[in-house]
């Protein structure tokens, strides 16, 4: 089974919840964890990973380059670039490598053949390790300024599938990226279900509603975990929304200083502070995941 | 001129800092705030306003006229996104989800009229007046669409079009090229980070991006009592940035957030911190009255 944990935006504790859930399920289930937030991966940090067993460079990303020698400075490329990535610097037409999407429109419209070339650049790395908890983790890191590509996530999931075959693992748990863009779509697409994590604030509600639309797009079931549940007592809209949509609430985690403290210790909070209120709540959630999802 | 508020990872309080700073800065500049976190825009929620003046962002999407198409496959070959698949006889089909709207296929198609300019809705931009004396421009990607870039670029243009003295952009988290697009043309980047190992890790990436883009950066440490600020200083120094403020974890900030009342407008002591950040920014930009 492939399950995804998503939130619509970072900062609501999705990865800390994921790390603790993995910790609680590790003895009973055989799974591979995938950190699909290639833009800002952190599951490895939360699981205390210190080195990678294997790293693969991902090339694939493309950027345009302009040969200033043959360029006749007609400006057509700049006019036609759909994303405004071509600037004039000291009289030369220059592609901004950090924003170029690599579509090659400039190359197609340039009247001087060979002046604009599309070059492959590294988009990031995909890497694998075995965590100290015994299960493998696949993670990726996008290089600074590269397109926030869903391809990286697809690559990660393919590697994870291969590992499942090799190691006889039953499940894949994907910690999705923030937002609702291509990485999230690549995370949720092809999964069996999504667990949404949200906190009771208007901003988090708005974000999770958007993530839920992506889940609906793929016609998957969704569950909800409410984090920092007691943080905003008057705010009922999150629970009401879940109820109206028929999204089962797997549990509510109270705000607990143990969570930020465990993050500095680079450990799942259920491991670092097993006696905390948050850990109690998390164990109940894991129980429901066992009963209702992983049966 | 433009400045940007950015942060390595989500949830560091970037938007809270952006809106409070905007409110503090409006005393110095005629400004517009642009929320370019188009996958999860929240500044309007923090400012307590409803998005207004919606404008669609539509992208080109090829439509094939199969009467005219000669099945030469050129369109499929040129598509960097592999959004066009061809049947065995060369008949092209579009997979709309993969299409980036770049129009390369239309440019190469040798048969006039075989590719018609269809349109697809990618999201919206908004221009909302706020009760704080500056407008807010918001970009919002449609759920189910993958490409944030066109929305970021269009929302930014809309904000630039207002020709205010200061354009303040609030970017998405991370360091992908949509963040670079938002940061582009900034005179200053305010990098918001937390002093935790995760925050420091991600904060370093944004400083790296600032350096690559040759934009000076200043660091604001949020929830500064939840970790090791000395480490943040070390990283900041490595990239030639200065830590200009430390904002401790504060119930008051949370309360003001929950009440929808920006902290900078309250009497809480934290308000002073934001005014100080604002004066550092004004000092750096050397402007305003
Ligand atoms: S490849 Fe596309 S995005 Fe890059 S500069 Fe050329 S036209 Fe612009
Ligand atoms: S279209 Fe070609 S020749 Fe014209 S400015 Fe661009 S690179 Fe130079
Ligand atoms: S518009 Fe660009 S991405 Fe879309 S099908 Fe044509 S070439 Fe491919
Ligand atoms: S390039 Fe034009 S003519 Fe050739 S297959 Fe595509 S649509 Fe048909």
């Amino acid at each position: 089974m492939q399950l995804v944990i998503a939130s619509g935006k970072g900062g609501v504790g999705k990865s800390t919840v994921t790390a603790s859930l993995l910790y609680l399920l590790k003895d009973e289930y055989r799974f591979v964890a995938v950190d699909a937030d290639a833009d800002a991966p952190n599951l490895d940090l939360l699981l205390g990973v210190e080195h990678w067993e294997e790293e693969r460079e991902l090339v694939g990303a493309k950027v345009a380059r302009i040969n200033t020698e043959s360029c006749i400075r007609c400006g057509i490329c700049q006019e036609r670039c759909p994303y405004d990535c071509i600037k004039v610097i000291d009289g030369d037409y220059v592609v901004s490598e950090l924003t170029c999407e690599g579509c090659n429109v400039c190359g197609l419209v340039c009247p001087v053949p060979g002046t604009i070339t599309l070059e492959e650049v590294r988009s990031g790395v995909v890497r694998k390790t075995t965590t100290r908890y015994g299960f493998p983790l696949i993670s990726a890191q996008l290089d600074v300024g590269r397109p926030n590509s869903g391809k990286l996530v697809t690559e990660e999931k393919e590697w994870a599938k291969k590992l499942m075959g090799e190691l006889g693992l039953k499940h894949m748990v994907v910690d999705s990226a923030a937002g609702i863009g291509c990485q999230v779509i690549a995370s949720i697409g092809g999964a069996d279900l999504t667990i949404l994590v949200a906190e009771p604030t208007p901003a988090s509600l708005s974000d999770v509603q958007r993530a839920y639309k992506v889940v609906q797009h793929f016609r998957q079931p969704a569950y909800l975990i409410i984090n920092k549940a007691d943080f905003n007592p008057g705010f009922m809209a999150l629970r009401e929304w879940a109820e109206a949509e028929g999204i089962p609430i797997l549990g509510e985690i109270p705000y607990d200083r143990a969570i930020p403290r465990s993050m500095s210790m680079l450990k799942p909070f259920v491991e670092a502070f097993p006696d905390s209120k948050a850990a109690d709540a998390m164990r109940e959630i894991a129980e429901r995941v066992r009963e209702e999802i992983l049966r | 001129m433009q400045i940007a508020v950015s942060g390595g990872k989500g949830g560091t309080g970037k938007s809270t800092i952006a809106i409070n700073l905007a409110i503090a800065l409006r005393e110095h500049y005629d400004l517009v705030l642009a929320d370019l976190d188009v996958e999860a825009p929240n500044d309007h929620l923090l400012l307590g306003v409803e998005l207004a003046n919606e404008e669609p962002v539509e992208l080109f999407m090829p439509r094939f006229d199969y009467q005219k198409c000669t099945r030469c496959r050129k369109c499929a070959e040129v598509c960097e996104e592999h959004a066009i698949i061809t049947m065995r006889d060369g008949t092209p089909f579009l997979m709309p989800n993969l299409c980036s709207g770049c129009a390369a296929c239309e440019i190469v198609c040798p048969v006039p009229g075989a590719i018609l300019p269809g349109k697809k809705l990618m999201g919206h931009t908004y221009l909302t007046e706020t009760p704080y004396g500056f407008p807010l421009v918001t970009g919002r990607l449609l759920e189910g669409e993958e490409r944030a870039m066109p929305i970021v670029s269009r929302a930014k243009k809309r904000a630039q079009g207002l020709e205010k003295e200061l354009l303040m952009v609030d970017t998405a988290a991370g360091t992908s090229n949509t963040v670079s697009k938002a940061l582009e043309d900034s005179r200053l980047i305010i990098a918001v980070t937390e002093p935790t190992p995760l925050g420091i890790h991600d904060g370093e990436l944004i400083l790296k991006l600032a350096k690559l883009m040759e934009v000076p950066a200043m660091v604001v440490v949020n929830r500064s009592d939840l970790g090791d600020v000395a480490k943040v200083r070390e990283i900041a120094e490595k990239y030639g940035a200065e830590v200009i403020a430390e904002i401790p974890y504060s119930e008051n900030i949370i309360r003001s957030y929950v009440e929808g009342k920006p902290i900078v407008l309250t009497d809480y002591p934290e308000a002073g911190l934001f005014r100080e950040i604002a004066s550092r920014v004004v000092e750096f930009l050397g402007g305003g009255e």
Side-chain angles (χ1 to χ4, degrees):
Chain A
M1 162 174 279
Q2 196 183 119
L3 62 98
V4 179
I5 302 174
S7 67
K9 185 165 183 165
V12 296
K14 179 176 53 65
S15 296
T16 50
V17 168
T18 306
S20 281
L21 187 63
L22 295 173
Y23 178 82
L24 293 171
L25 298 175
K26 68 181 180 350
D27 296 328
E28 232 174 304
Y29 298 95
R30 296 184 39 84
F31 56 79
V32 51
V34 177
D35 186 348
D37 188 356
D39 211 358
N42 55 20
L43 207 50
D44 56 320
L45 292 170
L46 289 168
L47 295 168
V49 170
E50 272 159 21
H51 76 282
W52 299 97
E53 287 158 13
E54 204 183 328
E55 289 197 326
R56 298 179 188 167
E57 285 205 353
L58 204 72
V59 281
K62 291 186 178 159
V63 296
R65 296 233 163 88
I66 295 175
N67 178 351
T68 41
E69 309 260 298
S70 56
C71 170
I72 55 165
R73 294 170 176 76
C74 65
I76 295 174
C77 54
Q78 185 184 37
E79 222 169 88
R80 295 294 291 271
C81 170
Y83 309 109
D84 273 326
C85 303
I86 298 177
K87 301 263 166 305
V88 184
I89 299 174
D90 301 331
D92 287 333
Y93 285 81
V94 179
V95 174
S96 157
E97 263 198 46
L98 294 170
T99 55
C100 174
E101 291 261 295
C103 67
N104 199 28
V105 164
C106 52
L108 294 169
V109 296
C110 173
V112 189
T115 296
I116 300 186
T117 46
L118 207 57
E119 286 171 33
E120 278 211 337
V121 290
R122 207 180 96 135
S123 53
V125 289
V126 184
R127 52 211 178 168
K128 184 208 110 182
T129 195
T130 307
T131 62
R132 62 181 180 220
Y133 306 104
F135 57 84
L137 169 71
I138 306 268
S139 180
Q141 174 79 60
L142 199 70
D143 286 350
V144 166
R146 288 294 160 243
N148 183 336
S149 162
K151 284 186 198 122
L152 219 60
V153 174
T154 308
E155 194 82 7
E156 287 185 88
K157 283 171 83 167
E158 263 161 31
W159 196 350
K161 270 188 210 137
K162 235 179 101 226
L163 268 189
M164 288 169 80
E166 283 166 20
L167 305 172
L169 308 173
K170 279 258 195 37
H171 308 287
M172 187 196 304
V173 182
V174 182
D175 184 7
S176 143
I180 56 164
C182 50
Q183 290 194 43
V184 180
I185 289 179
S187 298
I188 295 178
D192 295 293
L193 63 91
T194 297
I195 298 178
L196 300 163
V197 180
E199 57 183 36
T201 62
S204 179
L205 173 61
S206 149
D207 299 332
V208 80
Q209 283 173 333
R210 282 159 68 70
Y212 180 61
K213 285 211 179 141
V214 179
V215 175
Q216 281 180 311
H217 181 86
F218 289 107
R219 296 172 209 286
Q220 280 172 28
Y223 295 83
L224 178 68
I225 294 177
I226 303 181
N227 195 20
K228 301 183 195 151
D230 50 353
F231 163 92
N232 189 0
F235 189 82
M236 297 312 295
L238 177 62
R239 288 170 189 88
E240 283 165 10
W241 166 75
E243 197 164 307
E245 294 285 349
I247 303 168
I249 299 178
L250 284 175
E252 306 197 357
I253 305 169
Y255 178 75
D256 191 333
R257 280 273 199 163
I259 297 180
R261 277 163 64 208
S262 72
M263 285 169 76
S264 318
M265 296 159 69
L266 302 178
K267 276 186 182 169
F269 65 83
V270 284
E271 181 188 20
F273 298 101
D275 300 327
S276 62
K277 292 184 295 180
D280 284 341
M282 200 60 225
R283 278 187 294 264
E284 269 176 45
I285 290 170
E287 195 47 48
R288 289 200 60 186
V289 171
R290 282 189 193 99
E291 281 169 10
E292 291 176 38
I293 297 177
L294 295 174
R295 273 173 300 188
Chain B
M1 77 188 150
Q2 178 188 316
I3 63 169
V5 179
S6 195
K9 80 179 183 44
T12 43
K14 187 171 55 62
S15 297
T16 306
I17 287 170
I19 64 138
N20 280 294
L21 187 55
I23 293 171
L25 282 174
R26 73 175 169 175
E27 284 165 27
H28 304 270
Y29 304 100
D30 183 25
L31 69 92
V32 49
L33 175 63
D35 189 352
L36 302 183
D37 186 0
V38 304
E39 291 183 43
N42 286 149
D43 289 357
H44 61 289
L45 296 171
L46 300 183
L47 289 165
V49 292
E50 300 246 350
L51 294 176
N53 298 310
E54 177 176 283
E55 273 178 14
V57 178
E58 285 174 330
L59 276 195
F60 169 86
M61 199 172 62
R63 272 183 32 233
F64 303 104
D65 182 340
Y66 293 111
Q67 308 280 310
K68 295 194 178 132
C69 168
T70 59
R71 279 115 182 117
C72 70
R73 298 178 203 256
K74 290 211 165 76
C75 53
E77 280 156 22
V78 78
C79 178
E80 286 293 332
E81 304 294 339
H82 307 291
I84 299 176
I85 47 166
T86 51
M87 300 290 108
R88 201 168 292 153
D89 71 347
T91 308
F93 279 101
L94 178 75
M95 294 187 286
N97 261 347
L98 297 178
C99 174
S100 71
C102 69
C105 48
E106 191 202 23
I107 295 168
V108 297
C109 175
V111 185
I115 291 187
L116 302 163
K119 281 212 155 97
K120 97 170 153 172
L121 182 68
M122 300 295 292
H124 297 92
T125 65
Y126 301 85
L127 172 56
T128 314
E129 284 307 325
T130 72
Y132 304 105
F134 60 83
L136 170 72
V137 171
T138 307
R140 202 158 183 259
L141 179 68
L142 211 63
E143 298 92 350
E145 285 305 333
E146 313 202 3
R147 289 172 195 283
M149 185 61 99
I151 317 286
V152 173
S153 124
R154 201 74 70 78
K156 193 166 169 180
K157 277 226 174 100
R158 195 167 180 190
Q160 283 165 340
L162 299 177
E163 295 187 354
K164 298 282 187 184
E165 202 180 343
L166 182 68
L167 165 57
M168 192 171 149
V169 305
D170 181 14
T171 79
T175 55
S176 75
N177 68 344
T178 54
V179 176
S180 329
K181 181 94 241 167
L183 294 177
E184 200 170 53
D185 307 320
S186 295
R187 291 259 302 262
L188 171 68
I189 293 173
I190 303 189
V192 181
T193 184
E194 279 177 356
T196 59
L198 299 182
I200 292 169
H201 171 86
D202 294 336
E204 176 159 11
L205 290 177
I206 189 76
L207 291 176
K208 212 185 228 173
L209 179 59
K211 185 139 202 203
L212 271 174
M213 300 188 81
E214 297 173 12
V215 181
M218 291 177 175
V219 178
V220 171
V221 187
N222 200 18
R223 304 195 189 101
S224 56
D225 46 350
L226 292 184
D228 187 357
V229 181
K231 283 240 175 67
V232 181
R233 289 185 192 286
E234 230 171 77
I235 301 287
E237 202 169 312
K238 185 168 147 200
Y239 289 91
E242 193 191 340
V243 174
I244 56 161
E246 295 176 26
I247 303 174
Y249 175 83
S250 144
E251 299 282 338
N252 293 337
I253 292 181
I254 294 179
R255 202 167 307 134
S256 70
Y257 167 67
V258 165
E259 286 165 7
K261 188 162 185 225
I263 187 102
V264 70
L265 295 176
T266 66
D267 299 330
Y268 293 127
E270 289 84 349
L273 283 172
F274 286 97
R275 283 195 289 269
E276 260 166 55
I277 300 173
S279 59
R280 285 300 300 265
V281 170
V282 175
E283 202 180 295
F284 179 89
L285 296 176
E289 298 100 61

